[in-house]
Amino acid sequence: MSPTRSVAVVTLGCTRNEVDSEELAGRLAMAGWTLVDDAADADVAVVNTCGFVEQAKKDSIDALLEANDLKKTGRTQAVVAVGCMAERYGQQLADELPEADAVLGFDSYADMSGHLTRILAGERPTSHVPRDRRTLLPLAPSARALASDQEAVALPGHQQSSPQLPTPEPSVPLAQVAPPSGPRVVRARLDGRPWAPLKIASGCDRRCTFCAIPMFRGSFVSRRPQEILDEARWLAERGVKEVFLVSENTTSYGKDLGDLRLIDALLPELAGVDGIERVRVSYLQPAEIRPDLLDALARTPGVVPYFDISFQHASGPLLRRMRRFGDRESFLGLLAQVRERLPEAGIRTNVIVGFPGETEDDLDELVAFLEEARLDVVGVFGYSDEDGTEAETHEGKLDADTIAQRVADISALVEELTSQRAQERIGTTVSVLVEGYDEDEDRVVGRAGQQGPDVDGVTYLVAGEAGMPRFTPGDIVTAEVVATEGVDLIALPRPSQPSPDQEREIP
């Protein structure tokens, strides 16, 4: 293969997809491909698609079409679809989107270099044929560890080995892809952010009636703690200060390894990795949250005060139709337990409105919960049928206009409530991870420990009377919240920050 072959990995969707993209990039770099940021500068554009909800699927198709247009105007010779949408629809996507030169599923990731080489040589690989990935591993979680160790099933983001490839030198310096000795980590950073997602598990064993993720991501499989720690050290060596633990269901971590409390023990080890200053945990299922897990999250130094709890609704009867558990009273009780341990905790959730059979009483119950819960961030989604899910067959479907109106109403309420919650933080002290600089407003941009990446708002650091020291991405700054802009916080750095002779410029 020519060493001049280049590839751009375009990522859509969640942070779990970001991990998968960086693993793909690492595999390709080690196989001699040159990684570029812009698809217009690449021989091949690999689009890591999202297949979660209708809008995400539309965004993925738009990205594939945009990449295809580059074949007329740029260097790009081929466009390849990978990721959740490609895994979920496979041949169907290929038939409906002939602009894609290939549609490859998860099983293709191990030899992605070989596939891309053959595509540039004029071959068109057979499109992926979807299957229910829950059938690929044993039903009993305790029997899965051996199967996953034997790599019988492709698990993106789990650092499974690749076949030996006949390529001499990586295009990226080896130190940026894998350590020269010791545990093997195959991953290439695709950005310079001071935080990074770190996958601790894949798949899900829950059977929520609205969700198709288990069908194309498979049954729940935990990564072994040592693998996670090795990758955390690798990230720290490359300047990462915050690791964001991602999975489809973090509260299930360890059940297939024989210890549901394994996450409790893993957290302090991760927080103790040299160079890692913050550990953030995502996607907690309310029905699986244990008091001792709350204790571990609240009391482990280095774990930020952040709780990403998937409530989805607050009406007990409607949640049962979703095959979920809980109600307004139990959820408020859980939030009280969190705040008893960490009064300053940041809490986010997602809710679905317009689910089949949702009544005005159900909606009133959701509104009452949101008004009482004092949540920091709430993602509001309108229900849409997902292929192959149980809810697709439910009666009592609401029309599109009704769903859209409910989304608008709940979104407006959430905007008001989360702004009020942000205002409650005025006068409090926060620890801010510096991420960049807002040139338009002349202020530093970062995130407090209570704010998750990308979708939870930011904290702006502004100058006080004595001016403001200059910070660099990755700095942890103690600051006082003095104002808000919606869910965003405005904060003044404490006087004990670096003096002018210690200033460091943000690049």
Side-chain angles (χ1 to χ4, degrees), residues 439-457:
E439 295 183 359
D440 293 337
E441 298 292 337
D442 191 26
R443 55 192 182 179
V444 173
V445 184
R447 286 181 295 108
Q450 294 89 343
Q451 296 169 317
D454 295 337
V455 294
D456 285 1

Side-chain angles (χ1 to χ4, degrees), residues 37-58:
D37 295 329
D38 191 341
D41 299 326
D43 294 311
V44 183
V46 175
V47 181
N48 191 354
T49 60
C50 178
F52 179 42
V53 293
E54 195 62 34
Q55 185 58 53
K57 288 182 273 190
K58 291 178 181 177

Side-chain angles (χ1 to χ4, degrees), residues 86-374:
E87 175 65 37
R88 184 176 180 184
Y89 293 104
Q91 184 64 57
Q92 179 185 344
L93 177 62
D95 292 343
E96 296 179 3
L97 197 72
E99 292 85 353
D101 295 279
V103 175
L104 303 177
F106 297 150
D107 295 331
S108 300
Y109 284 21
D111 187 24
M112 186 58 64
S113 175
H115 289 296
L116 300 191
T117 300
R118 289 186 287 275
I119 290 167
L120 286 181
E123 296 182 26
R124 190 176 179 98
T126 302
S127 297
H128 169 65
V129 178
R131 50 183 172 171
D132 188 335
R133 295 190 74 84
R134 292 173 296 187
T135 64
L136 304 183
L137 285 169
L139 183 63
S142 59
R144 293 177 195 155
L146 180 60
S148 58
D149 283 349
Q150 293 174 339
E151 300 175 2
V153 177
L155 300 169
H158 282 232
Q159 295 290 317
Q160 294 170 300
S161 63
S162 296
Q164 186 64 38
L165 300 173
T167 49
E169 297 292 337
S171 65
V172 173
L174 191 61
Q176 293 299 317
V177 180
S181 62
R184 182 183 178 88
V185 175
V186 181
R187 180 172 177 172
R189 297 303 315 282
L190 294 177
D191 56 61
R193 301 176 306 193
W195 69 274
L198 175 55
K199 187 174 287 192
I200 65 170
S202 291
C204 185
D205 288 340
R206 302 188 71 86
R207 294 295 181 264
C208 303
T209 59
F210 56 83
C211 184
I213 289 176
M215 287 186 284
F216 58 84
R217 277 289 182 180
S219 299
F220 186 87
V221 179
S222 303
R223 292 182 70 191
R224 294 190 179 276
Q226 192 58 53
E227 297 173 6
I228 297 168
L229 290 166
D230 289 340
E231 192 164 344
R233 294 187 186 98
W234 183 90
L235 291 167
E237 290 168 358
R238 285 150 186 81
V240 170
K241 298 298 181 67
E242 176 183 307
V243 289
F244 185 32
L245 307 187
V246 298
S247 70
E248 275 76 23
N249 179 6
T250 297
T251 37
S252 281
Y253 179 75
K255 72 175 186 179
D256 51 324
L257 300 178
D259 186 359
L260 258 176
R261 289 173 171 77
L262 202 54
I263 187 70
D264 308 17
L266 179 62
L267 289 174
E269 292 195 62
L270 281 168
V273 170
D274 188 27
I276 297 298
E277 299 192 39
R278 305 207 310 194
V279 177
R280 184 179 303 276
V281 179
S282 72
Y283 216 76
L284 306 172
Q285 287 288 346
E288 299 180 28
I289 294 177
R290 302 169 276 106
D292 44 355
L293 174 57
L294 292 180
D295 291 339
L297 291 168
R299 298 171 184 171
T300 303
V303 176
V304 295
Y306 177 80
F307 293 79
D308 174 15
I309 305 176
S310 175
F311 289 122
Q312 303 298 352
H313 211 280
S315 165
L318 191 70
L319 285 165
R320 303 301 177 272
R321 286 176 61 82
M322 292 180 173
R323 291 199 188 280
R324 295 180 65 84
F325 302 93
D327 52 28
R328 173 164 61 107
E329 183 178 353
S330 64
F331 290 167
L332 291 173
L334 175 58
L335 295 179
Q337 292 181 57
V338 171
R339 291 184 171 123
E340 180 182 355
R341 291 165 170 82
L342 281 174
E344 77 278 17
I347 304 172
R348 79 166 330 274
T349 196
N350 294 319
V351 297
I352 298 172
V353 295
F355 189 80
E358 183 185 58
T359 65
E360 291 292 345
D361 286 344
D362 293 326
L363 202 62
D364 290 344
E365 195 73 359
L366 176 60
V367 168
F369 169 70
L370 294 172
E371 290 176 340
E372 295 178 70
R374 296 171 52 239

